[in-house]
């Protein structure tokens, strides 16, 4: 976990995600923390600065500098901060930065489950989530980093050998020395086939160094509801989801999700890379 990337739009939500990133980077002793802003959606301005840049570039860099100066504990990381801004889409800009700087994790915020698709930062977060270029940690509104003692990985136990991002899971969980839970939702145990039992054994073997606890949730028909009911009851601090299960994540962020899920928005979610590392 050497390089953190934090795309921001200067909203309160992205400020909060930036602070979360600073706190986590400090705890994990990250080597680089990159703050990035896209001004692609700024009003069109045909004029250019003396350096030939869009004037919004200078404005964006000043805003980034101001934002960073307001973050707590930032003085401990001053020599590890990199500020970037451009006129690409957030998704394209993030992908370019990940490739150039070998980003370990992207950290972004959400405004709330009911309005993620109706807010600028929400739409950008979903776009980056769909990209799957690097692990994406989604920080709920007003959430502050607290001690991460329990982590849960939600899985459908399909194609475990080829689809599970083992290295990403280990790299995320190991530094926290957290208790590892593996969750599989199977209503009324109707899908306990030889294939799923094999997937369970494979996953337990792959993550053996984390000494995981495996839990089958059989009381909920809806996968997302089952996962987050468990998360709430067991006081899970961080949820990991493989990006092939992106549909689960989108359902959680859609306005039609049951209101009770709004009560658990204080749990950050990490969407892992599409391909096994």
């Amino acid at each position: 976990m050497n390089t953190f990337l934090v795309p921001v739009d200067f909203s309160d939500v992205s400020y909060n995600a930036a602070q979360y990133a600073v706190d986590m980077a400090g705890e994990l002793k990250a080597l680089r923390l990159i703050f990035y802003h896209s001004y692609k959606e700024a009003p069109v301005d045909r004029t250019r600065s003396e350096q030939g840049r869009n004037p919004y570039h200078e404005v964006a860099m000043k805003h980034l500098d101001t934002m960073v100066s307001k973050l707590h504990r930032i003085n401990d990381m001053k020599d590890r901060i990199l500020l970037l801004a451009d006129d690409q889409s957030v998704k394209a800009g993030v992908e370019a930065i990940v490739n150039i700087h070998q980003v370990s994790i992207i950290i972004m915020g959400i405004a709330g489950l009911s309005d993620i698709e109706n807010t600028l930062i929400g739409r950008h977060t979903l776009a980056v989530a769909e990209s799957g270029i690097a692990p994406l940690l989604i920080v709920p509104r007003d959430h502050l980093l607290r001690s991460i003692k329990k982590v849960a990985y939600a899985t459908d136990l399909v194609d475990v050998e080829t689809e599970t991002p083992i290295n990403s899971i280990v790299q995320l969980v190991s530094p926290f020395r957290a208790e590892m839970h593996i969750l599989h939702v199977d209503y009324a145990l109707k899908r306990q086939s030889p294939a799923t039992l094999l997937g369970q054994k494979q996953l337990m073997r792959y993550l053996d160094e984390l000494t995981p606890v495996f839990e089958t949730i059989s009381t909920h028909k809806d996968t997302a509801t089952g996962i987050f009911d468990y998360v709430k009851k067991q006081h899970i601090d961080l949820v990991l989801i493989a990006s092939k299960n992106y549909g689960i994540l989108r359902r959680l962020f859609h306005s039609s999700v049951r209101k009770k899920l709004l009560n658990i928005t204080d749990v950050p979610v990490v969407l892992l890379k599409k391909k096994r590392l």
Side-chain angles (χ1 to χ4, degrees), residues 9 11 13 109-126 139-141 250-257 262 265:
D9 65 356
S11 64
V13 172
I110 58 170
L113 297 182
S114 62
D115 60 355
I116 187 170
E117 292 179 324
N118 299 316
T119 60
L120 189 61
I121 189 67
R123 292 195 300 273
H124 291 332
T125 300
L126 285 176
V139 184
R141 180 192 292 275
R250 178 174 282 277
R251 288 188 64 198
L252 292 177
F253 294 154
H254 197 275
S255 59
S256 63
V257 172
L262 293 173
T265 57

Side-chain angles (χ1 to χ4, degrees), residues 34-54:
I34 302 172
F35 294 98
Y36 166 67
H37 175 69
S38 162
Y39 48 86
K40 180 178 177 62
E41 298 184 27
V44 176
D45 191 330
R46 303 296 182 185
T47 63
R48 294 280 168 175
S49 67
E50 293 180 2
Q51 292 76 27
R53 284 178 171 168
N54 186 315

Side-chain angles (χ1 to χ4, degrees), residues 146-254:
R146 57 176 179 246
S147 179
I148 295 179
K149 297 178 180 178
K150 292 184 178 182
V151 178
Y153 173 60
T155 175
D156 57 10
L157 294 179
V158 176
D159 299 325
V160 167
E161 185 174 3
T162 57
E163 297 290 341
T164 307
I166 302 298
N167 289 347
S168 286
I169 296 172
V170 173
Q171 289 169 10
L172 277 167
V173 178
S174 294
F176 295 110
R177 301 177 185 271
E179 184 179 305
M180 181 72 195
H181 294 240
I182 301 174
L183 311 181
H184 173 58
V185 178
D186 181 6
Y187 180 64
L189 302 178
K190 292 181 178 179
R191 299 177 183 173
Q192 293 296 291
S193 66
T196 56
L197 294 175
L198 175 61
Q200 176 183 338
K201 291 180 180 178
Q202 289 175 320
L203 197 50
M204 292 294 284
R205 184 172 72 252
Y206 293 150
L207 298 175
D208 180 64
E209 64 184 282
L210 301 176
T211 10
V213 173
F214 187 93
E215 298 284 354
T216 297
I217 301 167
S218 59
T219 53
H220 293 276
K221 290 183 178 180
D222 180 73
T223 301
T225 304
I227 291 169
F228 282 92
D229 183 58
Y230 181 90
V231 164
K232 188 174 181 180
K233 289 179 179 178
Q234 295 296 321
H235 305 290
I236 301 295
D237 302 303
L238 190 66
V239 177
L240 313 182
I241 300 178
S243 57
K244 70 169 186 169
N245 293 322
Y246 172 74
I248 294 174
L249 193 67
R250 178 174 282 277
R251 288 188 64 198
L252 292 177
F253 294 154
H254 197 275

